[in-house]
Amino acid sequence: LCLIMLLPSIVACGEVDLSSGAQINMYLTSEVYNFDPAYAHLDSSAVKLLSLMYEGIMKLDDNGKVKKALCDTWEYVEDEGIDEESDEDNTYTMTITLKDSGWTDGRAVHADQFVYAWKRLLEPDFDGEGAELLYDIKGAWERKNMGLSPDDIGLYADQKVLTIEFKHSIDPDDFLRKLTSIALVPLRQDKVDYYHDWSSASTTIVTNGPFSLVSYYPGQSMELGRNTYYRHDVSDED
């Protein structure tokens, strides 16, 4: 599948109006049928395409170095408990503040959308990939493999602030690299839970990256258009 990217739009190979912007060719080794990031983790074509449609906390630059994406600031703190011999009283916390940005329908990107997407991966019966990237988080492995309550996972959201509790000391740089995975981008619960085909229909899918899915006809054509709310301070008011 060959995609021709236009700024401000991307269209499939064929008749193209070059007056709308610069033209960039992008080649995918296979066609993408599912736009759910949780199923794109190990699919190079899906990762290339969905990275235009979704944005996570961190990203990799052209040299493979970890850079901030939606992350505005982050801080990792290790707080030793009263008993230094016991690891149970110690806390290991990362606090991430997000930049202002919006979904393609004009809603604001919030931290609870990351919490929802990550807890979805950790559901015991969810067959998507990427859950292992979260196993450093308190209660994550136990939720996936032992049915621990999702309320006991160390993930907390307050507007633009995401707080992560870890079960042990971590290398923050290593964890931030994990956050570059397409599997860990945010998702909208009101779309995923309500629409059965949300990830394959252009009429129901919403994304938070620089581009959105405008139209999609499997095996025929695909069009991506600019997300006008990307990196803008938007309100959740209708």
Side-chain angles (χ1 to χ4, degrees):
L1 178 67
C2 170
L3 297 182
I4 298 179
M5 185 168 73
L6 300 178
L7 299 178
S9 66
I10 303 177
V11 298
C13 293
E15 298 277 335
V16 178
D17 178 10
L18 298 180
S19 64
S20 60
Q23 176 180 335
I24 301 174
N25 294 324
M26 185 175 75
Y27 299 92
L28 303 178
T29 56
S30 60
E31 188 167 2
V32 178
Y33 294 95
N34 190 336
F35 299 93
D36 185 341
Y39 294 94
H41 179 48
L42 300 178
D43 184 336
S44 60
S45 292
V47 169
K48 179 182 290 188
L49 180 62
L50 296 189
S51 293
L52 297 172
M53 299 168 59
Y54 295 93
E55 183 169 62
I57 291 172
M58 309 298 288
K59 64 182 178 181
L60 295 176
D61 66 14
D62 293 338
N63 298 315
K65 293 185 178 181
V66 178
K67 300 292 184 182
K68 292 179 180 178
L70 271 178
C71 175
D72 186 24
T73 64
W74 67 271
E75 180 182 26
Y76 175 67
V77 176
E78 295 189 0
D79 186 13
E80 294 185 352
I82 299 176
D83 184 0
E84 296 183 0
E85 298 296 326
S86 173
D87 194 49
E88 295 182 1
D89 296 325
N90 298 341
T91 58
Y92 312 95
T93 306
M94 179 176 286
T95 303
I96 298 171
T97 303
L98 303 177
K99 298 174 182 175
D100 290 328
S101 195
W103 295 85
T104 49
D105 63 354
R107 297 285 184 173
V109 176
H110 288 305
D112 62 346
Q113 294 152 358
F114 282 96
V115 172
Y116 168 73
W118 296 4
K119 286 187 175 182
R120 178 174 177 254
L121 284 176
L122 294 171
E123 285 295 310
D125 59 351
F126 185 72
D127 61 353
E129 300 161 334
E132 69 281 356
L133 298 170
L134 302 171
Y135 283 171
D136 287 326
I137 298 174
K138 182 179 179 181
W141 185 91
E142 290 80 1
R143 171 59 181 164
K144 187 69 175 179
N145 298 281
M146 299 178 63
L148 183 74
S149 169
D151 296 333
D152 293 329
I153 301 174
L155 292 171
Y156 311 94
D158 182 10
Q159 295 296 313
K160 300 288 185 180
V161 180
L162 174 64
T163 302
I164 307 168
E165 286 187 12
F166 300 95
K167 64 181 68 174
H168 48 62
S169 176
I170 66 161
D171 177 349
D173 291 331
D174 179 64
F175 183 75
L176 291 173
R177 177 169 288 274
K178 292 178 181 179
L179 296 188
T180 65
S181 171
I182 192 65
L184 302 185
V185 298
L187 292 175
R188 287 268 296 279
Q189 184 174 5
D190 61 319
K191 298 294 184 180
V192 177
D193 289 354
Y194 188 78
Y195 297 101
H196 176 71
D197 61 346
W198 73 272
S199 63
S200 59
S202 60
T203 56
T204 57
I205 190 171
V206 293
T207 58
N208 75 313
F211 295 97
S212 64
L213 184 65
V214 175
S215 65
Y216 174 56
Y217 302 95
Q220 300 180 46
S221 65
M222 179 187 301
E223 180 181 355
L224 302 186
R226 178 178 293 170
N227 175 8
T228 57
Y229 302 102
Y230 175 67
R231 296 294 181 89
H232 283 74
D233 183 5
V234 296
S235 170
D236 282 328
E237 296 181 0
D238 293 327

